[in-house]
Amino acid sequence: MNNFDKNEPIVSFKNVCVAFKNTRVLKDLSFDIYPGEIVTIAGPSGSGKSTILKLLGNIIRMDSGEIVVNASRLGMAFQKSALFNSMTIWKNVALALEETTNLSKKKIRKKVKETLEMVSLSYTENMYPDELSGGMQKRISIARALVVSPEIILYDEPSTGLDPGIASKLEDDMIKLRDKTGVTSIVVTHDVETIKKVSDRVLVLYDGKIKWEGTKNEFITDNSPYPRSFRERCTIEDLLSQT
Amino acid sequence: MYRSAVEQIGEGGINLIKTFWYISRGKINYEEVARQIVTTGIGSLFIASITASFVGLVLTLQISNQLRQFGAEHFIGAIVSSSAIRELGPIISAIVVSGRVGSAVSAEIGSMKSSEQIDALIVFGIDPVRYLIVPRLLASAIITPLLCSLSTFLCIMSGMVLANSAFNLSFDTYLDTVRLVNTTYDVSVMLLKACIFGITIAIVATTTGLQVRGGAEAVGEAATKTVVWNYILIFIFNYFISSYFFRVGYE
Ligand SMILES: Nc1ncnc2c1ncn2[C@@H]1O[C@H](COP(=O)(O)OP(=O)(O)O)[C@@H](O)[C@H]1O
Ligand SMILES: [Mg+2]
């Protein structure tokens, strides 16, 4: 279905199951992601998108299945930014390097400076997160994910809660970043504009499984209910019951 | 309820073991420990002082009336001080730290959890136990004995002032009986008790904070839950520690 290079996947989910209490969220979920691509996992709210990212980030554990990740460093930009609100922006970005690497103070300073420049927010370094707008917080959250030079970056609903113009700029940055660094990008969202803009490939998550998979163009043109529900902003259930 | 209590205790136990493991390997951010001591300690000084002083006053009042009936007023110092050292000082400081520091720590960590900041630490490969619990536990284990010493001191001193002004007991007589009945052993047990209470408070507060799921309401619930659990545990532990050292001390 996709025309992306079929080399070794960098992330591979095989029959992954996750349940919380009595609700099964992921049911035998399987998919592959290849190095350097921007893959969007689209799904309605509550379908388990964040759960997938949390599995990759080792925040939660799966009940069964297998996840293979061929990367040693991973960054995550959280839905609610999740900046450390007791720390300055500088400290937010520097923390991972300070706590988990043996880099010298000087090297850390250089790296943090570069990373803040990458998101054009150097001037905020002495501010605290709550002094920044929502869009700026998201960009700092991305900078914080990038500072460890990750091979994979995870974006949880990057455009949610942002004005359309600001969201669009953020999406430009995500694409530029991949083009510049080659970082594999996994984006989860239900925002059709984000899907149409950033994706090389789209996976639609529904009822705990990938129900549809295709390129961005296929997502825009395919008449299956899964991509259509996003384009027409209606629920998948409605479209499924019509057919 | 029953299940959540078991889970709570289990998770607290695991966090306690992990914390001691990090401490034993020297994974301590001393700067953060100092910061925690200063911010939490100073905030508790005032309440602890007021509480302890008034407990000393009321205790002296009640005891003096009883003792006077037997013409034994000059033992006021002995009874007030041994009550303060053995029971009241540790309990007062634990209640103050639990209400003032425990609830704040649990709300702080709870709101970090609900805003995904804890998840962010985990993704970075930073264990929240090492980064958040270790410094808070050490700070609490140091602060509580210090506040306990202050509380005990003020409790004894306020008793002395009242015994002097209301019952005409001289400072010297009061202090003589204080020296007579209390030993270094009693003071060591007092400090140990306070230290155990401090550790308990920190573990309950941080564990409850890390268990928060949801928004602002869940954070508030966590703070309340922390105080309730801490009061229960402190009074239970207090009895067992007292009875253990009572037996050991007089063998
Ligand atoms: N820690 C948790 N405990 C219980 N239920 C959870 C937990 N995390 C997520 N869920 C539930 O799992 C489902 C999927 O959640 P999530 O992955 O956050 O969805 P999405 O990101 O697609 O909106 C939701 O119904 C949510 O309520
Ligand atoms: Mg989500």
Side-chain angles (χ1 to χ4, degrees), chain A residues 20 25 44-51, chain B residues 213:
Chain A
F20 295 111
V25 178
S45 175
S47 58
K49 303 183 297 294
S50 299
T51 302
Chain B
R213 194 160 294 149

Side-chain angles (χ1 to χ4, degrees), chain A residues 38 155 158 170-178 187 198:
Chain A
I38 303 183
Y155 297 96
L170 191 80
E171 288 152 11
D172 287 335
D173 286 347
M174 289 160 58
I175 296 168
K176 256 191 255 162
L177 193 77
R178 190 278 307 268
V187 185
V198 302

Side-chain angles (χ1 to χ4, degrees), chain A residues 103-234:
Chain A
L103 292 179
S104 67
K105 279 217 161 87
K106 203 171 143 203
K107 285 223 177 83
I108 291 178
R109 217 174 299 138
K110 183 159 166 275
K111 184 79 196 172
V112 173
K113 198 159 164 268
E114 279 171 12
T115 311
L116 281 171
E117 273 162 15
M118 214 174 331
V119 294
S120 324
L121 285 172
S122 301
Y123 66 94
T124 64
E125 64 178 54
N126 293 320
M127 296 184 184
Y128 284 87
D130 59 7
E131 298 173 73
L132 268 53
S133 70
M136 287 156 89
Q137 289 185 15
K138 290 243 174 173
R139 275 151 68 200
I140 294 297
S141 166
I142 293 173
R144 193 177 65 171
L146 283 176
V147 79
V148 293
S149 314
E151 293 130 296
I152 304 173
I153 183 163
L154 312 173
Y155 297 96
D156 197 349
E157 313 248 1
S159 55
T160 304
L162 300 183
D163 295 339
I166 292 170
S168 163
K169 259 220 267 354
L170 191 80
E171 288 152 11
D172 287 335
D173 286 347
M174 289 160 58
I175 296 168
K176 256 191 255 162
L177 193 77
R178 190 278 307 268
D179 294 346
K180 216 160 81 186
T181 64
V183 61
T184 307
S185 310
I186 305 177
V187 185
V188 309
T189 187
H190 60 247
D191 183 336
V192 65
E193 299 304 326
T194 310
I195 301 169
K196 287 202 283 196
K197 182 146 183 188
V198 302
S199 322
D200 294 323
R201 208 152 59 89
V202 185
L203 310 175
V204 176
L205 176 70
Y206 183 72
D207 193 26
K209 287 193 183 74
I210 301 298
K211 293 282 184 163
W212 187 92
E213 180 180 348
T215 62
K216 171 165 64 179
N217 284 334
E218 285 164 344
F219 180 85
I220 295 169
T221 54
D222 193 283
N223 250 333
S224 133
Y226 297 105
R228 253 180 68 208
S229 74
F230 291 92
R231 298 199 304 265
E232 295 171 14
R233 297 168 203 278
C234 53

Side-chain angles (χ1 to χ4, degrees), chain A residues 59 78 80 83 95 99, chain B residues 114 116-117 119 124 130-131:
Chain A
I59 299 165
F78 286 85
K80 292 179 260 176
L83 299 180
L95 187 74
E99 294 288 329
Chain B
S114 98
E116 298 181 325
Q117 292 176 54
D119 290 352
F124 282 158
R130 176 177 68 77
Y131 193 72

